Amino acid sequence: MPLPKRAKRAEPSSDEERYSSDDESYSSDSDDSDDASEELDTVQADFAFYDPKPGDFHGVKLLLKTYLDSKPWDLTGFVDLILEQTTVGTVVKIADDEEDGEGNGADGSSTGGNDDLFGLISVLNLGRHSEHRCMKDLKDYLLAVCGDKDTKKKLKQMLGDKAPDVGLLVCRRFVNFPYELVPKMYESLFDEVSWATEDEPTQELRDSFRFKQYLMVARVLERKTPAKQKAKNSTEEDEPIIYPKLEDEIFRELSSWSFTFPIRSEQSAQQEMKNYKEMGLVMAVKAEAIPKFRKKLEDLLSE
């Protein structure tokens, strides 16, 4: 069994796994490039995986700010559930200088502050937490945005009678997150789920991680104009759907069912995105499909 997350670092093993932010590094092509004040060095950072801690509250809340679009809901309670579950779940931060990688903050969190939190992955049992206000808000929201009658029936079953066997998989990260770390995030999560079925202190807790299905809430970009009526600025290469998180395309391909719904998103300032609208995406994936997902994700990264 690999070392537990608390004892390992997400240190890069090659230059390809070292992160450089495009927002913080560039080279100037102007004639004034000799001006030292305009010359910036490439910023490189090592990332590490950590167990969620109370000190991560604001960083996690920021990542989840638009999880249910603009709907008022108990986001604070949702963040608390994620942070309380330390055996299954990971936050990704700039690596500490501390050798053990655990930090020594007074609240038990890593020494990195909330500003250093770049990614989050976790899974919550819908049945175990069904009485929490945030879960009730989540269920009401998903049922309200599902327009298809047959799909809503399946969703209602997942949120109701089948909830104890369903894991709500949450993966959020900033757009400049190094994609090379994404397979490691999922590997860490699914390994921890497997370990939890054996290592949790009570049978009830062990059983709560024996998921049969996973439910995911994500986002995609859909082309506004149909393929046969392409907009003026559109090109032949325009995709009907763009997945900001590439792994969501794999999840959707493997899903038992899925549906999209409109959300209140701001219009993209990027010219190439003018012909697209942001949509919410809900997917149900059977647990038995996860090994295939992990393989496809690895293959996608190696292309």
Side-chain angles (χ1 to χ4, degrees):
M1 182 179 295
L3 287 173
K5 179 180 59 205
R6 289 177 294 279
K8 72 180 180 183
R9 300 286 294 272
E11 292 179 347
S13 57
S14 68
D15 290 339
E16 291 181 351
E17 293 185 1
R18 187 173 291 275
Y19 168 61
S20 298
S21 172
D22 293 335
D23 294 333
E24 296 180 327
S25 63
Y26 64 87
S27 60
S28 172
D29 293 326
S30 68
D31 295 332
D32 298 326
S33 60
D34 56 336
D35 187 350
S37 64
E38 294 183 2
E39 292 182 359
L40 295 178
D41 294 329
T42 298
V43 176
Q44 294 182 330
D46 292 343
F47 289 82
F49 290 0
Y50 297 95
D51 290 330
K53 295 290 193 299
D56 299 322
F57 178 85
H58 294 292
V60 171
K61 189 174 183 179
L62 181 62
L63 281 171
L64 292 167
K65 184 178 179 181
T66 58
Y67 185 65
L68 295 188
D69 196 18
S70 58
K71 172 184 170 59
W73 70 301
D74 185 21
L75 175 57
T76 295
F78 191 63
V79 174
D80 286 340
L81 285 183
I82 289 174
L83 297 182
E84 289 167 4
Q85 183 176 279
T86 58
T87 56
V88 176
T90 295
V91 293
V92 183
K93 302 180 182 181
I94 300 294
D96 289 338
D97 292 333
E98 303 294 331
E99 179 121 6
D100 60 9
E102 283 201 70
N104 54 5
D107 60 356
S109 63
S110 62
T111 56
N114 285 294
D115 292 340
D116 295 328
L117 201 151
F118 284 81
L120 157 76
I121 190 167
S122 188
V123 59
L124 298 172
N125 185 295
L126 289 181
R128 177 184 170 193
H129 303 296
S130 61
E131 295 305 313
H132 288 265
R133 179 186 151 201
C134 60
M135 286 301 186
K136 293 180 180 179
D137 290 344
L138 173 76
K139 294 175 184 179
D140 291 343
Y141 175 80
L142 295 180
L143 289 171
V145 298
C146 183
D148 181 76
K149 185 177 179 181
D150 292 336
T151 304
K152 180 177 285 191
K153 183 178 179 180
K154 296 174 183 177
L155 175 62
K156 197 169 185 178
Q157 289 177 335
M158 284 192 74
L159 300 176
D161 295 340
K162 296 182 178 180
D165 298 322
V166 179
L168 178 68
L169 200 163
V170 181
C171 183
R172 305 281 283 189
R173 53 188 186 269
F174 289 118
V175 293
N176 56 354
F177 187 88
Y179 197 76
E180 291 82 359
L181 292 181
V182 173
K184 293 181 174 68
M185 290 179 71
Y186 283 98
E187 179 182 351
S188 174
L189 178 73
F190 292 125
D191 282 349
E192 287 180 340
V193 168
S194 178
W195 299 340
T197 62
E198 301 176 359
D199 298 339
E200 287 295 314
T202 67
Q203 187 64 47
E204 182 180 3
L205 283 175
R206 290 192 290 272
D207 289 342
S208 71
F209 290 102
R210 301 184 193 277
F211 300 117
K212 294 181 180 178
Q213 296 185 83
Y214 290 96
L215 185 67
M216 280 152 277
V217 181
R219 295 193 175 194
V220 294
L221 296 170
E222 289 188 356
R223 190 170 55 197
K224 295 178 182 178
T225 54
K228 293 182 180 179
Q229 301 177 2
K230 300 171 78 70
K232 262 186 183 180
N233 296 330
S234 184
T235 67
E236 291 300 322
E237 288 73 29
D238 279 352
E239 296 289 341
I241 299 177
I242 295 176
Y243 294 86
K245 287 162 51 190
L246 298 182
E247 72 270 21
D248 287 336
E249 184 172 9
I250 304 175
F251 274 132
R252 196 172 190 181
E253 176 187 334
L254 299 174
S255 66
S256 305
W257 52 263
S258 66
F259 69 88
T260 60
F261 59 94
I263 58 177
R264 298 179 184 178
S265 60
E266 296 182 4
Q267 179 64 46
S268 174
Q270 296 178 304
Q271 185 61 36
E272 61 270 23
M273 293 290 104
K274 291 290 185 181
N275 298 324
Y276 289 87
K277 58 183 176 182
E278 194 170 23
M279 301 285 287
L281 170 64
V282 177
M283 301 174 284
V285 178
K286 292 183 179 179
E288 62 191 40
I290 294 304
K292 188 177 293 186
F293 163 78
R294 295 172 71 168
K295 177 65 166 59
K296 283 179 174 286
L297 185 59
E298 287 288 352
D299 292 344
L300 181 65
L301 189 64
S302 63
E303 290 178 359

